[in-house]
Amino acid sequence: MSKPRADFHFVHGPISRVAGYYAKDIVFPMAGIGPEDVDVTGSYDAFTFTTMLQLEEYGFCKKGEGGTYVSSGIIELGGQRPNNTSGGHLCEGYTHGMNMVIENTRQLRGLVDDYCPRWQEGIHTYDYSEGRCRQVKDPEITMNLGWANPTTGSALI
């Protein structure tokens, strides 16, 4: 397992430089995976554009391609890598990322509390129509993408 260098100093960049710019080189090596291995993401979405910046900076797509990436449907329920499956801050409640940690834990356990009649038994329909199932099928790795700068940002795999 890699450890962050003790002499690693951070320099603050422009507003478009979010925590992923710094964190990706720490969290992915520590977890022994890359962005391509993540099944579900939870992104800090205080504003709609912040998700795109995070996906770019954490390496899920190239810098400047966040809009195309998001528009492709990849982050929707039923997409290759769903994001903010409980609605994120803008829909669910702004508790500075804790709801996303809880949601991604439920995703991994198969116990997302959705509209499937037997969700408490871990039985889901995977019908991603509006107001239906939001359980991702067989997720193995989830990641919470932190926003902000190195002194206030966080990330969790």
Side-chain angles (χ1 to χ4, degrees):
M1 230 197 291
S2 304
K3 292 184 180 179
R5 293 181 6 215
D7 64 339
F8 197 74
H9 299 283
F10 297 107
V11 178
H12 298 282
I15 191 170
S16 63
R17 180 165 294 157
V18 300
Y21 177 85
Y22 311 97
K24 71 178 178 295
D25 296 329
I26 299 169
V27 295
F28 286 121
M30 287 179 77
I33 65 165
E36 66 281 354
D37 299 309
V38 176
D39 301 313
V40 179
T41 55
S43 63
Y44 189 92
D45 62 344
F47 304 95
T48 53
F49 75 94
T50 60
T51 292
M52 290 183 286
L53 292 178
Q54 289 173 74
L55 291 167
E56 291 175 357
E57 292 290 14
Y58 281 97
F60 291 97
C61 60
K62 292 181 181 174
K63 190 77 174 154
E65 294 181 3
T68 303
Y69 181 84
V70 168
S71 296
S72 74
I74 195 168
I75 68 167
E76 296 175 10
L77 282 170
Q80 182 183 344
R81 186 175 295 113
N83 181 70
N84 289 353
T85 56
S86 61
H89 291 120
L90 296 176
C91 296
E92 181 188 26
Y94 195 82
T95 57
H96 298 284
M98 287 313 300
N99 284 352
M100 292 173 209
V101 173
I102 293 165
E103 174 70 8
N104 281 353
T105 300
R106 289 176 176 162
Q107 286 287 352
L108 290 170
R109 292 177 177 171
L111 293 174
V112 168
D113 53 343
D114 58 22
Y115 292 100
C116 295
R118 296 176 65 190
W119 72 266
Q120 291 173 321
E121 300 168 54
I123 298 172
H124 297 274
T125 63
Y126 306 108
D127 173 2
Y128 299 125
S129 304
E130 188 174 336
R132 301 288 181 187
C133 187
R134 71 172 201 271
Q135 175 66 51
V136 174
K137 191 169 187 165
D138 303 322
E140 294 182 15
I141 299 173
T142 63
M143 181 174 182
N144 291 89
L145 315 177
W147 170 253
N149 57 57
T151 57
T152 61
S154 64
L156 172 68
I157 296 176

